[in-house]
Amino acid sequence: LTLMVPFADLANHSLDNNSTFQLSKTTNSFQLASRRSFPSGDEVCITYGQAKPNDELLRDYGFVLPANAADRLSAAVPGLQALPP
């Protein structure tokens, strides 16, 4: 499911997120909820995905994470055969 939710992108991405989001079937609404109390002015962070590599983050959200543990590179090498399972 892909949605455009105005103002939802005001929540920044963090792998150590302090908030979550969900779609409520009962109220038919998008909900952003804090995982804890925090003072006014603190940054609201959700995760855009725990295992997204930088190419997906750049394509979908316009940024990359330095030292992204989920980053990967696929490359085809001519003449290289796959190992048997």
Side-chain angles (χ1 to χ4, degrees):
L1 177 64
T2 301
L3 297 173
M4 287 194 70
V5 181
F7 303 108
D9 61 346
L10 294 176
N12 287 325
H13 167 76
S14 174
L15 295 175
D16 185 26
N17 54 308
N18 59 24
S19 301
T20 61
F21 63 91
Q22 66 181 13
L23 296 173
S24 172
K25 291 181 181 180
T26 57
T27 61
N28 200 27
S29 64
F30 177 88
Q31 299 174 345
L32 180 65
S34 173
R35 294 178 152 199
R36 61 172 176 84
S37 296
F38 49 93
S40 176
D42 271 11
E43 185 176 39
V44 175
C45 295
I46 60 175
T47 180
Y48 294 176
Q50 292 289 333
K52 285 196 178 278
N54 278 337
D55 63 326
E56 288 183 29
L57 290 172
L58 182 60
R59 179 195 67 212
D60 297 344
Y61 307 108
F63 70 92
V64 296
L65 296 174
N68 185 349
D71 223 0
R72 59 185 181 266
L73 175 65
S74 298
V77 179
L80 186 66
Q81 295 181 1
L83 295 173

